[in-house]
Amino acid sequence: MRRLDREQVRQFQQRLLRWYARHGRDLPWRRTRDPYRILVSEIMLQQTQVERVIGYYERFLRRYPTIATLAASSEPQVREAWDGLGYYARARNLHRTARQVTAEHDGVLPDDLDQMRRLPGIGRYTAGAVLSFAFGKDAAILDTNAARVLRRVFGVRARGTKARLHGRLWELAEQVTPAGRADRFNQAIMDLGATVCRARKPECPRCPVRAVCRSAPETVARIS
Ligand code: SF4
């Protein structure tokens, strides 16, 4: 990958974090540091819109307020609590994770990337999200929104296979995630992608990182 411009990275981090402090979304799972609650939200958010998840998240946690209560439940009961949210494999994996954590980790989600990724249904993104949001670890994330923002800001072109591009974007995410502030940075980049740097019609004129973005209209005009 092309060498990163350190000043661009620094400005990107600062501008994004400042914007997030004022415009970040207030979501129920952002009001807690409980790893279990954060995990439930992240699993529900896979393939599902934020607005749709909120009600399910609150109902599910009223029924299963702790990982122990979920582990003690039966699969049909968990499926019933998940009913309507779809993609039931997520519920099955969450239930299996609760049982595995109870059996192997004394009921406490591990704060280690490798151990976390050995749990059912937890990939690199979900592990990074729980580690940064719940444990304050310097773990990067890459979801669709974050990937789009990174590609545009740092001008990453699609060369080679999809897997290769994905690998380059993960590498970039790790390079630009600031030490000690990964939790807010990760939330900020996802919010920017969801609300400003959208897939269609990005709102560049009101974007906080416009001045350092390689895809901003003024930058593109300068280069071409
Ligand atoms: Fe996205 Fe435009 Fe902002 Fe660049 S300036 S990050 S393309 S919204």
Side-chain angles (χ1 to χ4, degrees), residues 3-18:
R3 268 181 64 165
L4 282 177
D5 174 344
R6 278 199 193 176
E7 184 54 20
Q8 185 195 12
V9 172
R10 197 182 66 81
Q11 288 270 343
F12 173 62
Q13 294 167 334
Q14 270 188 2
R15 286 163 187 268
L16 188 59
L17 287 167
R18 248 193 334 253

Side-chain angles (χ1 to χ4, degrees), residues 30-120:
R30 289 187 180 172
R31 298 181 209 134
T32 181
R33 284 269 185 183
D34 179 341
Y36 165 65
R37 288 173 177 252
I38 289 169
L39 176 64
V40 170
S41 73
E42 289 300 336
I43 300 287
M44 287 187 167
L45 286 163
Q46 292 168 5
Q47 325 277 345
T48 311
Q49 299 284 327
V50 166
E51 297 71 29
R52 196 163 137 67
V53 164
I54 292 174
Y56 282 97
Y57 170 80
E58 286 167 347
R59 270 196 303 281
F60 191 86
L61 288 174
R62 273 199 296 277
R63 185 154 175 185
Y64 300 117
T66 62
I67 206 159
T69 52
L70 179 59
S73 189
S74 70
E75 193 174 323
Q77 286 170 328
V78 176
R79 191 189 153 103
E80 185 197 308
W82 199 273
D83 198 25
L85 198 54
Y87 299 103
Y88 293 103
R90 296 181 297 176
R92 210 166 34 244
N93 280 333
L94 184 61
H95 187 215
R96 284 170 56 211
T97 284
R99 290 191 162 176
Q100 195 169 323
V101 167
T102 304
E104 296 174 12
H105 301 279
D106 292 330
V108 180
L109 273 165
D111 63 354
D112 173 86
L113 188 66
D114 293 334
Q115 288 188 19
M116 183 84 78
R117 290 195 62 188
R118 282 201 280 273
L119 296 168

Side-chain angles (χ1 to χ4, degrees), residues 6-21 30 33 128-141 173-190:
R6 278 199 193 176
E7 184 54 20
Q8 185 195 12
V9 172
R10 197 182 66 81
Q11 288 270 343
F12 173 62
Q13 294 167 334
Q14 270 188 2
R15 286 163 187 268
L16 188 59
L17 287 167
R18 248 193 334 253
W19 172 81
Y20 179 71
R30 289 187 180 172
R33 284 269 185 183
V130 176
L131 288 176
S132 59
F133 303 153
F135 297 107
K137 298 263 181 184
D138 287 337
I141 56 101
E174 278 167 356
Q175 286 173 318
V176 303
T177 303
R181 288 174 295 169
D183 52 352
R184 276 164 293 151
F185 179 85
N186 289 344
Q187 285 163 348
I189 197 167
M190 290 193 289

